[in-house]
Amino acid sequence: VAPTVYGGDELAALLRREAVTHAFITPAALASVDPAGLDELRVVVAGGEACPPELVRRWVRPLADGDREFYNGYGPTETTIMTNISAPLVPGQPVTIGAPIQATTEYVLDDRLVPVPIGVVGELYIGGPQLARGYQLRPGLTAVRFVPNPFDPNHSRLYRTGDLVRWTPSGELEYLGRNDFQVKIRGFRIELGEIDAVLAAHETVDFAVTVGHQLDSGATILASYVHAASGHSIDIDELTAHAERSLPVHMVPTSLTVLDEIPLTPVGKLDRRALPAPQLQTKEFRAPSGALEQLVAGVFADLLSAGDEIGADDDFFELGGNSLIATQVAARLGASIGARVPARTVFEAPTVALLAARLAQFDTGAQRPALVAVERPERVPLSLAQR
């Protein structure tokens, strides 16, 4: 269908009109199409970006003379062009990109170029005769991406994909996202693809993507965007509860936005730059009461650039706080009440009301020991933070 990009009803009408039996379509475009009435389409290969589990459930369906086959294909342009293809995918089972095709060599390596065990996330490196020679007139980028193969005495090259994967026990690869799509939240490095997989596993969702969104305060939050499966509507509270049951706290999205339409680039991939601003969930406002709650709310508002409307039930991290700002909060609160407040207190009691209640338990009468000059040692010991 190149060079025109089709989506939604237009793509479905094209497939019916041309009586297409085999198609290679991006997951974002597939998510916009209702597969009902496309019984002549026997084989679908999804490729170009991550394939969510819901697409498999929607497109693998019984037909009059057998089931439609659904495959997941993978291959960077630099490897000219497909290097992996899965076996026919089965609804409810993990979505993989399969094993390397013939004449392709693949390694999953850590930051030190050491192979990782089965089930451990690493970066995918690809070798074989189909590799490009590099990027025209860009020797620096070529040197970064096309690297010597440390396992080949003949010094062949590997293409460093930037894609994060892990081996399955059956010898296939599970794609988890890009290493340049990683974000760091509260000190944790997060693979956004793992969040997308959990959200897309919900029966009401057929497409999900998560991005790191920077707030005005400079803090980064997890903002997820979802598209409803055909015949379903998405309940944000229910989907959030589903994420909380399946993900650790630091990976639960701060924002969930329902898309009416998935934005696509001219080549049919997800257009991340066209995603709308995230819809931050707000709680019913309850004004801080008492001197300590007002103190905490004021510190939150100042350090998070969140304005004056900080409620007693507002959560520091949901407002965009992170571990670095938490240390500033603890230091400022400690100076205000005349006590030493550990940064972990903010993690243990992240709302205004909870943190104020914890502050009330501190001994504000305790005085710090006076600073006394001592002889400077030849070897200055490391501070706690440096250790």
Side-chain angles (χ1 to χ4, degrees), residues 5-366:
V5 173
Y6 296 86
D9 296 339
E10 188 179 11
L11 178 55
L14 172 72
L15 295 172
R16 281 193 294 269
R17 184 174 69 248
E18 301 295 332
V20 174
T21 60
H22 295 64
F24 184 99
I25 308 176
T26 66
L30 278 172
S32 67
V33 176
D34 185 351
L38 297 176
D39 289 358
E40 292 191 21
L41 185 56
R42 310 303 312 226
V43 176
V44 177
V45 180
E49 56 197 8
C51 177
E54 172 58 27
L55 281 186
V56 182
R57 290 198 296 268
R58 288 182 60 208
W59 283 88
V60 178
R61 56 173 57 196
L63 304 176
D65 53 349
D67 293 343
R68 177 185 291 127
E69 294 181 355
F70 191 100
Y71 298 85
N72 193 19
Y74 169 85
T77 303
E78 291 85 349
T79 59
T80 326
I81 186 167
M82 183 174 287
T83 59
N84 298 65
I85 190 163
S86 69
L89 297 177
V90 178
Q93 294 187 6
V95 176
T96 71
I97 59 173
I101 63 174
Q102 188 174 7
T104 298
T105 303
E106 294 183 350
Y107 302 93
V108 182
L109 308 178
D110 63 15
D111 293 340
R112 299 171 297 162
L113 298 184
V114 175
V116 300
I118 293 173
V120 175
V121 179
E123 185 176 352
L124 178 60
Y125 289 71
I126 301 177
Q130 77 279 36
L131 258 63
R133 295 183 179 180
Y135 301 101
Q136 186 175 17
L137 303 180
R138 302 190 69 182
L141 183 59
T142 297
V144 169
R145 286 297 181 184
F146 293 86
V147 299
N149 184 346
F151 310 104
D152 182 7
N154 295 321
H155 308 293
S156 62
R157 291 179 309 142
L158 295 175
Y159 172 62
R160 181 181 182 182
T161 66
D163 290 330
L164 299 172
V165 299
R166 59 187 169 204
W167 290 110
T168 67
S170 62
E172 296 187 302
L173 288 172
E174 184 179 357
Y175 175 85
L176 299 172
R178 296 279 304 167
N179 60 6
D180 48 5
F181 289 162
Q182 289 181 327
V183 297
K184 199 169 186 179
I185 304 288
R186 307 183 202 174
F188 295 96
R189 188 166 296 280
I190 296 172
E191 316 293 352
L192 299 178
E194 295 193 50
I195 302 174
D196 299 341
V198 167
L199 296 176
H202 195 273
E203 61 181 4
T204 64
V205 177
D206 71 357
F207 190 81
V209 63
T210 304
V211 300
H213 177 77
Q214 191 172 55
L215 300 174
D216 293 339
S217 64
T220 300
I221 64 168
L222 295 172
S224 293
Y225 298 84
V226 292
H227 186 265
S230 178
H232 292 273
S233 61
I234 295 177
D235 185 312
I236 293 295
D237 292 336
E238 179 184 332
L239 187 57
T240 300
H242 166 74
E244 290 173 343
R245 290 192 298 268
S246 308
L247 294 168
V249 174
H250 64 275
M251 293 181 67
V252 175
T254 301
S255 163
L256 277 169
T257 303
V258 179
L259 298 173
D260 295 327
E261 184 177 346
I262 301 171
L264 303 178
T265 66
V267 295
K269 294 186 179 183
L270 175 70
D271 188 352
R272 293 174 180 266
R273 291 180 296 181
L275 293 170
Q279 298 175 359
L280 296 176
Q281 312 303 315
T282 57
K283 298 182 175 71
E284 183 178 349
F285 181 77
R286 183 169 68 89
S289 61
L292 285 178
E293 286 192 4
Q294 292 174 7
L295 170 65
V296 174
V299 172
F300 280 10
D302 187 22
L303 293 178
L304 298 175
S305 301
D308 298 328
E309 293 297 312
I310 301 292
D313 300 313
D314 286 342
D315 186 290
F316 171 76
F317 296 107
E318 291 181 2
L319 293 171
N322 56 36
S323 56
L324 293 178
I325 301 176
T327 61
Q328 299 177 53
V329 169
R332 188 169 299 189
L333 292 175
S336 297
I337 66 173
R340 183 178 179 276
V341 178
R344 68 171 182 271
T345 308
V346 183
F347 290 82
E348 296 168 351
T351 68
V352 170
L354 290 176
L355 186 52
R358 291 290 296 272
L359 293 181
Q361 301 172 9
F362 282 87
D363 181 6
T364 57

